[in-house]
Amino acid sequence: MLAKSLVSVFCALAFSASTLAHPHPNAGPSSDELIAFLHRRIENSNSGESSAAEASSSTSASSSEATGSAGSAGAFSAARFPDVQAALAGNQRFRDTRDAAAIQALVDNGQKPPFMMVACSDSRAPEATIFDSKPGTFFMERNIANQYKPGDENAQSVMAYGIHVLGVQHIVILGHYGCGGIAASIATPPKAQINVASHIVNTWIGDIRTLYLTSDRTEIAEMRAKNLAIEAEGGTVEEPDIKEPGFRALVEENVKQQVQRIADSSVMKNRFDEIVTKLNTDGTPKPATEERRAKRAEEGETLKPIFVHGWVHDLETGEVLDLNVSVGPAGFEDFVPPASNGEGEATPSATETASAPSETATETATESASNSSSSEESSTTASSSAAAEEGEGEGEATSTSSAATGEETVSTPQNAVVAPETEVEPTVPVSADVNNDVRVHGPSQVNARRSNARALASSLLGRSVSRISRRGVAAENS
């Protein structure tokens, strides 16, 4: 109502201003009449808003009286429910027994979990209980049947954040025997989508049903043949027993499929390429210039070899089984992390120790070459200056020499700033987006583009110095 009133007032004012600016015998009402009209309009609007507010208040009150204690008209406390009371009591026990110092350290220093895990939403498989782990161990993504889908931006954002920000070193797909999502994929699908909820669930597990219908694993193929025979006779296949071999095999094959999907994603491929480019196969950094080393320090030295694993949890025994389908960067198949020194830090390996002197020697050689180059340039500049003082033929001789060699030879003043050559990092190839997943460009591509930009800037600076030098020589000759 207020908005409508303001619009009406604005239109009336605009009309009155137009009338006063262009008087005409038939232009309409006078300014006094317009002012009186505006006052009446504002009074009517205010009274209308008051009536509407009273009506709304009356309606809310009657609705609240009608619903009573149901609480649908507003917020209410959940403490009336026994399940909620039990959960809150558990929270109190947690507060009484938790490691407050460890939690505070996570609050102050942030999380650096070693694992990111894609697990099932099943309430019977909580990772903290299964692994008896402490807070700060697992960065979690949960969904029905622990799936990683290329078009799922939620799962991809969790993985990208875990890799590039938290620096996780292991990504685990954790399935479990007796998974309800896997069982529903084996059972006969509903003849018709009864409601929205049924449609959503069956759409989500559609990829697993496809895996069930196409897998050539013996246990799954035998179960499928038996079930298809039942359905061919008009029967309905119910969800299998947890001991069914084909059911257990499909749980494992689903985990393997998700491991491969993550390994094939653009996020992971870009990270693998970056690791291969920047790290030795023992995990130590490859020799780098001072600029690269400073950049690593600025980035927090978070780059580590990263691996994807496939595990299955047995609900009945509690055991977690490694399916031995781990994948990682090319050449890191035999990677073994360095032993800890007892203080939470890795002991430097022989390769890393040996690479440090090599880098220092390289820098020393580079610096010596730079000094030598500077000396030669100073000598050339002095010779050019002496020749310029003797006569005016120097410029012609320099020009002739340049034409003969096909190169431009320019003397550089002693106080001129010469742009150093910039080493360009090898560009990491960007994997093709074959899975239609969200494109995430890793730091490798960004660093390569920055290096190319620095090289271009250095080249432009060198040309500018050359032009200034030529102008100085020409001025002295003249």
Side-chain angles (χ1 to χ4, degrees):
M1 291 296 294
L2 180 58
K4 291 181 179 179
S5 301
L6 292 175
V7 171
S8 301
V9 171
F10 176 76
C11 294
L13 288 174
F15 176 74
S16 62
S18 175
T19 303
L20 295 175
H22 303 281
H24 191 275
N26 300 321
S30 65
S31 59
D32 292 338
E33 291 173 335
L34 284 174
I35 291 173
F37 166 77
L38 293 176
H39 280 299
R40 290 195 302 271
R41 189 64 180 267
I42 293 173
E43 290 175 358
N44 292 338
S45 298
N46 291 337
S47 61
E49 290 177 2
S50 299
S51 301
E54 292 175 0
S56 176
S57 176
S58 175
T59 302
S60 299
S62 61
S63 175
S64 177
E65 291 176 1
T67 55
S69 60
S72 59
F76 63 96
S77 173
R80 71 183 69 173
F81 301 105
D83 291 341
V84 174
Q85 294 174 3
L88 295 178
N91 173 252
Q92 184 59 54
R93 291 191 299 273
F94 164 75
R95 294 172 59 191
D96 294 339
T97 59
R98 70 187 183 123
D99 187 345
I103 298 295
Q104 190 61 47
L106 289 173
V107 173
D108 295 339
N109 304 324
Q111 58 172 329
K112 286 294 180 184
F115 294 94
M116 177 206 154
M117 179 173 287
V118 179
C120 184
S121 301
D122 198 305
S123 62
R124 300 168 294 177
E127 73 286 345
T129 302
I130 295 173
F131 298 98
D132 191 24
S133 60
K134 296 179 180 179
T137 303
F138 293 99
F139 187 59
M140 294 301 304
E141 160 70 9
R142 286 181 173 274
N143 58 61
I144 294 176
N146 44 270
Q147 297 184 77
Y148 178 85
K149 296 195 175 187
D152 184 0
E153 294 187 3
N154 176 62
Q156 290 209 41
S157 63
V158 171
M159 185 172 70
Y161 187 85
I163 293 173
H164 291 282
V165 179
L166 301 182
V168 300
Q169 195 169 7
H170 304 279
I171 296 181
V172 177
I173 300 292
L174 180 66
H176 66 96
Y177 297 129
C179 176
I182 306 293
S185 303
I186 297 172
T188 301
K191 303 299 182 182
Q193 302 297 343
I194 300 174
N195 52 40
V196 175
S198 176
H199 170 72
I200 291 175
V201 172
N202 279 278
T203 299
W204 178 257
I205 64 175
D207 290 349
I208 305 175
R209 179 169 284 124
T210 300
L211 178 62
Y212 158 65
L213 294 173
T214 58
S215 176
D216 57 0
R217 182 165 169 174
T218 302
E219 303 96 313
I220 299 175
E222 292 177 352
M223 176 181 65
R224 180 176 63 239
K226 180 179 61 176
N227 292 343
L228 291 178
I230 295 174
E231 292 176 342
E233 296 176 357
T236 299
V237 176
E238 302 295 337
E239 294 186 359
D241 182 77
I242 192 173
K243 298 291 189 181
E244 165 64 46
F247 183 14
R248 298 170 75 87
L250 188 58
V251 167
E252 296 172 0
E253 292 304 308
N254 176 59
V255 169
K256 295 177 183 178
Q257 184 180 70
Q258 310 313 319
V259 168
Q260 193 59 48
R261 281 182 172 180
I262 288 183
D264 290 339
S265 69
S266 294
V267 176
M268 187 56 65
K269 279 189 173 181
N270 287 348
R271 192 60 162 185
F272 283 167
D273 291 341
E274 183 182 11
I275 290 169
V276 171
T277 302
K278 295 184 177 180
L279 298 182
N280 298 308
T281 55
D282 62 353
T284 58
K286 291 183 177 179
T289 62
E290 183 63 31
E291 181 181 356
R292 289 190 203 168
R293 222 178 357 259
K295 189 184 300 181
R296 282 186 192 147
E298 182 180 350
E299 294 174 353
E301 293 285 352
T302 57
L303 186 61
K304 303 175 183 176
I306 187 169
F307 302 91
V308 187
H309 313 284
W311 301 346
V312 174
H313 172 228
D314 191 325
L315 293 177
E316 295 181 303
T317 66
E319 183 182 7
V320 172
L321 306 174
D322 183 0
L323 299 182
N324 297 317
V325 292
S326 299
V327 295
F332 285 74
E333 293 80 2
D334 298 325
F335 171 79
V336 177
S340 174
N341 60 11
E343 298 179 359
E345 300 179 358
T347 304
S349 65
T351 304
E352 183 177 10
T353 305
S355 65
S358 176
E359 293 180 9
T360 305
T362 302
E363 293 174 5
T364 304
T366 303
E367 184 177 358
S368 300
S370 177
N371 293 338
S372 175
S373 177
S374 299
S375 300
E376 292 177 1
E377 291 172 356
S378 300
S379 176
T380 304
T381 304
S383 301
S384 300
S385 300
E389 292 176 358
E390 293 178 359
E392 297 181 358
E394 180 64 25
E396 298 176 359
T398 303
S399 176
T400 303
S401 174
S402 299
T405 60
E407 298 178 356
E408 183 179 9
T409 304
V410 181
S411 300
T412 305
Q414 280 185 323
N415 58 350
V417 178
V418 180
E421 295 184 0
T422 303
E423 182 180 356
V424 181
E425 285 192 30
T427 303
V428 177
V430 181
S431 55
D433 189 11
V434 296
N435 294 318
N436 297 321
D437 54 357
V438 180
R439 194 69 183 175
V440 178
H441 295 284
S444 300
Q445 289 74 37
V446 177
N447 293 341
R449 288 194 293 270
R450 289 176 179 171
S451 298
N452 293 336
R454 287 194 296 270
L456 178 60
S458 299
S459 176
L460 294 176
L461 179 59
R463 293 178 184 177
S464 300
V465 171
S466 298
R467 293 193 189 98
I468 295 172
S469 302
R470 287 198 297 272
R471 292 174 183 172
V473 172
E476 291 178 1
N477 293 337
S478 62

